[in-house]
Amino acid sequence: MHEPNLTYAATQKVVCFTETPLEHTWMMLEDIDKRDVHFQPYGLAVTKTTARKAGCNPVWYSDITPGRDWPIDAVNAMVNDAVRRATTGRTVDRDKLSEEPIFKLTPFFEQMGPTKYSRKEFWWEREWRRIGDFPLYPRRTVAVLAPAHDHEHLRKELTEINEGWGARPILDPHWGLERMIAAIAQISDEHIGPFPDAG
């Protein structure tokens, strides 16, 4: 890989989010067919308002289907121009390149559609991204996602960390929506279902 590509990659450091309803979070644990991707059953849920206030932006999908891929041509031209302006000989000035306006925009672009050699699929309902780190404070977190068999241990760990993490509800992504809402509302399991308190 030549240096301009390395520099281009260096400008793309972002945090990604997925806008997925609670009842569909189990899908985020499922492996995608024919992909070498393995998801972990852990995560944090925040509101869209929290993400927006922290400077997150929706991802813009560009169709790369041959014949319909012309809208991205202008973006590619601006990227090439930016790399050329920051290049002296065979050396790219990374600081100069990172200040180019186009690189403030490209982290929010994603490709979708088939090409001759591959297919980029739109997998989740909607994605959001933020350039740089995303500070996660307990008060901004709706819930912690983890498998049920880890809840007791995780609750102990979060309580020891303190800073308000111990008070966050812990949800299993495979639970139904009713049970998730009950956990967020701090209603115990025996008080939900068709026969509450039937123990």
Side-chain angles (χ1 to χ4, degrees):
M1 187 181 292
H2 61 78
E3 196 170 1
N5 283 343
L6 291 172
T7 307
Y8 177 76
T11 66
Q12 306 296 305
K13 295 178 180 176
V14 297
V15 180
C16 300
F17 304 83
T18 301
E19 183 181 319
T20 305
L22 279 175
E23 65 269 29
H24 294 153
T25 50
W26 63 270
M27 291 194 306
M28 300 182 70
L29 312 182
E30 303 299 305
D31 291 337
I32 302 173
D33 288 343
K34 301 177 183 175
R35 301 283 177 89
D36 293 328
V37 176
H38 301 284
F39 296 108
Q40 295 296 324
Y42 304 94
L44 296 171
V46 299
T47 64
K48 285 184 283 188
T49 300
T50 294
R52 258 315 204 184
K53 286 181 177 176
C56 300
N57 291 291
V59 173
W60 302 320
Y61 281 85
S62 179
D63 195 343
I64 58 172
T65 305
R68 297 207 303 257
D69 55 355
W70 60 267
I72 204 70
D73 289 346
V75 175
N76 289 336
M78 286 186 279
V79 167
N80 291 334
D81 288 344
V83 171
R84 191 165 36 254
R85 282 192 293 273
T87 303
T88 305
R90 293 180 57 86
T91 305
V92 177
D93 184 333
R94 291 171 182 251
D95 293 330
K96 185 176 179 181
L97 187 62
S98 67
E99 292 303 313
E100 287 281 347
I102 187 59
F103 289 115
K104 308 295 183 189
L105 190 64
T106 51
F108 303 106
F109 271 105
E110 189 59 79
Q111 300 174 337
M112 66 175 294
T115 65
K116 183 177 179 181
Y117 303 104
S118 65
R119 179 176 182 82
K120 290 271 204 169
E121 295 175 352
F122 178 66
W123 183 245
W124 303 115
E125 179 183 350
R126 192 170 187 187
E127 289 185 75
W128 295 69
R129 291 181 185 166
R130 181 183 190 278
I131 299 177
D133 296 330
F134 180 73
L136 286 167
Y137 305 109
R139 58 188 163 76
R140 288 184 175 176
T141 306
V142 173
V144 176
L145 302 171
H149 60 79
D150 286 345
H151 285 194
E152 189 176 336
H153 173 73
L154 192 55
R155 166 92 46 220
K156 199 176 297 183
E157 293 282 328
L158 292 174
T159 302
E160 286 177 13
I161 294 172
N162 204 345
E163 298 177 356
W165 282 108
R168 297 297 92 199
I170 304 177
L171 314 178
D172 187 322
H174 286 100
W175 284 351
L177 181 60
E178 181 183 55
R179 190 170 180 188
M180 288 188 181
I181 292 173
I184 292 172
Q186 298 182 335
I187 298 171
S188 60
D189 290 349
E190 61 267 19
H191 295 303
I192 62 173
F195 304 106
D197 304 313

